[in-house]
Each structure stands twice: as structure tokens, then as C-alpha cells.
Amino acid sequence: MAIYRLYDSRLPIEPRYPATRPSVADVDVWNDESANPEREDEQESGEGSSNSDEEDEIYDEIEYQKLRHAPPGPAYKGLKNNVPTTLMQLKGLPWNPGTPEYVNHAIILEYIQSIAQKRDLEKDVLYNTRVEHILKEDRRWLVRSITLTKTRCETVRKVPSLKEFDAVVVASGHYHAPKVPDIPGLKEWKQRWPTKVQHSKSYRDPEEFRNQNVLLVGASTSSTDIARELDQIASQVYQSSRGGAFDLPPLLLPANARRVNEIKSFDTIPEEAMPSTQVTPVLGAVTLHDGTTLRHIQRVIVATGYQHTLPFLPALHNDRIAVCDADDTQLITDGTQVHNLHKDIFYIPDPTLAFIGLPYYSANFALFEFQAIALTAAFAGRAKLPSTEDMRSEYRAKVENKGFGRAFHSVKGEEVSYADELLEWVNKDGEAVGADRVEGHSKEWRMARVVFAEKLRERLGLGV
């Protein structure tokens, strides 16, 4: 049986600082000047260099190739689900009796493995394979990929492949390409202290931060989870917030953490002014927009989220324009959303390109299963997609209602109605061709969802 990984103790290669262009995804990484030819001007001037006195480690070449080929994900050692297991259950695949509502990633892994075994999925999976490019030609999708294999000499070999398909389904998730903001001084801090400044994707174990002062950039889910893990371990935790719509309330922070204002700049402290008694060096001073200065910061975790990215579909990327300027064919602009999809699934100009797993603020597994049911019904001819004009009209209405950006894919408060809408369409069309009816969320699931929502609101201090 193949080895699955939800948690990988290896650290991904850090992204470039700043990282604001989704089209380059994980190709443009820290300390790799050859990754992006558009950075030649920086290379010539020396601005792109990441050499530092602290950084003297050299990646093993084979391990580096593996990390570039398939970067480890953001799961950390103590990660648990934040939606109850009862709401994440798939049809006909119950959790083991006695499974708690919130479990470690290892239990989630076992559940995923059981799905693969019961539905005999192993034979259809290509492991160690990275999709490099997808292109439509003559009514067929050409998919170019590379498989990394190990040779008898313990080196690695890249095996290219080109295959044709009638349709393509992208289910690559959206916690892959880190977003690093362009805050004055942050790049220079990363250059000087490359192992002390990191994106949250590289966070693994709170023990690495014992007795240190930690600055968390960002105040949403990952940042708050990490702050809670650092309770009674870090000396002091500062969580910087811009007051964004997706920030969690500070009441969720532990006793050794406090919310602070948005960061204005990361300032360099002259070497002679650095405290000399510290075992772990102070990185510098941080100036906030409210005029406060944070001193004695010893570690920085950039928890500013991820960008939607489809590097294997470069023709459908344009991150040089604003999100509101996307035309009727582009999928990615600034990385905050995926454009031009019907029901967050079907690419409107060509529905043989489809997506699973874009909505968030949902009971992931359960909702994505209903998306998959709708997709397969359409591909199999059991459900008929609306005309291009009708899909476009519905999409524009959604834009008008939700606006552009990250909120576009949120189904907060809409998860049940979204799933019901999908199944209403599938069952109505399926009845005409004699297909079996697909049942939606059970009464028990819907009740559990209401209870969860009430508990969550109470926990967030929003009342019930």
C-alpha cells in the first residue's frame, strides 16, 4: 500500500519574500534566483540575494529535488479538525465507533485511507507525479506531467508523460502557494534571519519556540491555532491584525498572547545595539501603524494565508490585473478567487474543465462529496448543464451579490442550501433518464450542523 501523508515533518522550501504573484506558485521560492527569469533585474542589482551570516546550510540535492517536486503541506504536529467528524462523514463510510468530534490528523488520515481501500482507488492513482501543463487541443485535454522515481543508485529521475483526456478535474486544494505581504523591512529580516522568519506553512512543532518572543503576522485561523499551541511554551506572543473581515476575535488567544495593531515596518537594529545576553537573538524592532514599537522579537511567523493558483494552466492566469478586471476566460488574477465557474465547479467557457473543493467555511468532506456527485452526473450525461449564457448570467449575479475576492467562495451560512441546490438539479435531470435519486444531508446531520453553528457563535462571543 502507498504511503499517504497529511502531516509531513519535512519543511517546505520557503516562498519568496514578498510572494504576491499566484501564477508562479511554488516555482518562485526563497533562495532560488533561477526560479523566475523575470527577477533578473534583482539578480543583477543584488536585491534578490538571500545570503546571510546565519544561513550556512545546504540542501541535499536529492532532497531538494523532492521538495521542489512535491512540497510538504501546511499540516503541523498537533493539528486537529475544526469541524466535528460527524459533519465530515461521507455517504456509507461512517467513522469508527467512538471517534471523538475533534481528532488529530493521524485519525483523519486513517479515514481517508479507509475510503481509498473500500472504493478501490489505489489502482487509479499516480504517486510522486506532478502536473506541469494542461492545454486543450482538438477537443482533447493534453496533460503533461513528471513522475519522480528513485534509481538503483539512490538518485532520482524525472520521467515525463503526456496523456490525452476528455475532461480534467482539478482538486488540488487552496493551501499550497503561500502569500507573503510586501511589508517594508520584512524581506530584509528574512535575508538576515532566514530560519527565524517563516511562513505558517513551515510551522510544525511549538517546542521550536520555547521561551521565545513570537510575532504572528495575521489574525485568522492558522495564526490563532498557532498562538494557542504556543500557550505556556513561548514567552510572549504578539498577533498582528489589520482588522480584516476574516480575523478571529482576540478572546480566543491564550494568556501569553495579545492582539496588536497592523505592522507598518520591520526595522533593523544596529548590531552594536543588539542585546548581547540573549541565547536567541533579537531580530529587530517592529513599528505598528498605531505608533507602538515591539522590541525583543525573536521569531516571526507570517500567517497571512495562501493564494489560489493553477500554475499548470498558465494561459488562464493573469496576475498583472486587478481581481475586478478579469475577463470571461481568466481563472486566476490576484489569487483571491477562481473566476468564471458555474456553481464553483464548472469552467463556464468549457465545462469539461471542472473543480472540486473551492468552497470554504464548510464541512469539507461532506460538501465536496456533493460537488463530486454533481460533477459526475454532468459528465455522465445524467444532468444537463445550463446554456453558456445562463451559466454566465448566474455567475454575474453571484459577483453582484458577493463581490470579488476571498469572500466569493465562502459558503458560511449557505452550505446546506448550496448542497440542496446541487442535488435538486441532479435529481430533477436524473429522474428524466431513470437515474437513482441522490439523498442530501440527513436530518441528523442538519441538526448537528445547527448545534455546531450555535456552539461556534458562542465560542466567538457572538451569542446564539
Side-chain angles (χ1 to χ4, degrees), residues 142-404:
L142 303 181
V143 179
R144 179 164 57 85
S145 64
I146 291 178
T147 300
L148 206 64
T149 61
K150 185 182 291 186
T151 70
R152 285 181 295 180
C153 298
E154 295 300 312
T155 60
V156 293
R157 183 166 63 98
K158 294 181 179 180
V159 181
S161 172
L162 181 65
K163 297 181 183 296
E164 295 185 10
F165 296 93
D166 295 315
V168 170
V169 178
V170 179
S172 52
H174 40 80
Y175 299 107
H176 172 62
K179 183 173 184 178
V180 178
D182 191 4
I183 303 174
L186 177 58
K187 175 182 174 181
E188 288 72 24
W189 274 38
K190 180 65 175 176
Q191 288 173 339
R192 187 172 184 182
W193 309 104
T195 63
K196 302 293 190 296
V197 178
Q198 66 186 84
H199 191 272
S200 58
K201 188 179 183 183
S202 300
Y203 172 80
R204 291 295 183 269
D205 191 334
E207 283 297 328
E208 301 173 31
F209 303 87
R210 181 168 290 280
N211 299 325
Q212 298 180 58
N213 298 321
V214 182
L215 172 63
L216 292 166
V217 184
S220 193
T221 305
S222 294
S223 173
T224 302
D225 283 352
I226 292 172
R228 292 167 69 86
E229 282 229 319
L230 297 178
D231 185 22
Q232 301 184 51
I233 292 180
S235 294
Q236 176 69 54
V237 176
Y238 301 97
Q239 185 188 65
S240 170
S241 168
R242 296 185 304 164
F246 298 95
D247 288 357
L248 296 180
L251 62 87
L252 297 178
L253 296 174
N256 68 336
R258 68 183 179 93
R259 177 74 55 85
V260 298
N261 201 254
E262 180 182 359
I263 297 170
K264 182 178 181 180
S265 63
F266 289 84
D267 307 321
T268 301
I269 297 177
E271 200 160 319
E272 59 273 15
M274 289 280 193
S276 58
T277 58
Q278 303 261 5
V279 175
T280 302
V282 170
L283 309 187
V286 178
T287 301
L288 307 180
H289 273 282
D290 63 5
T292 303
T293 299
L294 303 180
R295 305 185 188 277
H296 306 297
I297 299 298
Q298 296 166 299
R299 296 293 293 270
V300 176
I301 301 176
V302 182
T304 47
Y306 299 83
Q307 306 174 87
H308 288 286
T309 179
L310 303 168
F312 41 80
L313 287 164
L316 302 178
H317 261 271
N318 189 347
D319 50 19
R320 298 189 183 280
I321 64 173
V323 64
C324 57
D325 290 332
D327 64 20
D328 287 349
T329 63
Q330 287 155 352
L331 283 170
I332 304 291
T333 51
D334 68 347
T336 58
Q337 72 172 86
V338 181
H339 300 272
N340 294 306
L341 299 184
H342 176 61
K343 305 293 189 189
D344 273 354
I345 301 174
F346 302 97
Y347 180 50
I348 295 173
D350 185 348
T352 60
L353 174 62
F355 296 77
I356 296 294
L358 287 178
Y360 59 95
Y361 284 142
S362 70
N364 297 348
F365 293 178
L367 185 67
F368 300 164
E369 182 177 32
F370 287 129
Q371 284 192 310
I373 289 170
L375 182 151
T376 54
F379 281 4
R382 296 192 302 271
K384 184 180 179 181
L385 284 166
S387 67
T388 300
E389 292 75 16
D390 287 345
M391 288 191 289
R392 176 65 59 194
S393 176
E394 183 176 324
Y395 172 77
R396 287 172 177 160
K398 181 178 177 181
V399 170
E400 188 69 25
N401 179 46
K402 289 197 163 189
F404 292 104

Side-chain angles (χ1 to χ4, degrees), residues 43-101:
Q43 295 175 32
E44 292 174 0
S45 67
E47 292 180 10
S49 173
S50 62
N51 296 333
S52 74
D53 294 335
E54 185 206 40
E55 186 176 33
D56 54 7
E57 58 188 278
I58 300 176
Y59 282 106
D60 173 85
E61 180 60 30
I62 294 176
E63 184 61 23
Y64 183 76
Q65 288 189 49
K66 291 179 180 178
L67 291 173
R68 290 300 302 269
H69 182 76
Y76 49 87
K77 191 174 181 179
L79 181 65
K80 294 184 178 183
N81 53 305
N82 58 7
V83 174
T85 52
T86 50
L87 297 181
M88 295 170 61
Q89 182 169 298
L90 298 181
K91 288 178 171 294
L93 292 167
W95 293 82
N96 289 331
T99 299
E101 295 280 50

Side-chain angles (χ1 to χ4, degrees), residues 121-136:
L121 300 180
E122 288 278 347
K123 66 182 188 305
D124 299 319
V125 178
L126 293 176
Y127 292 99
N128 299 318
T129 299
R130 179 187 180 97
V131 174
E132 295 285 330
H133 195 265
I134 299 175
L135 179 67
K136 186 74 173 283

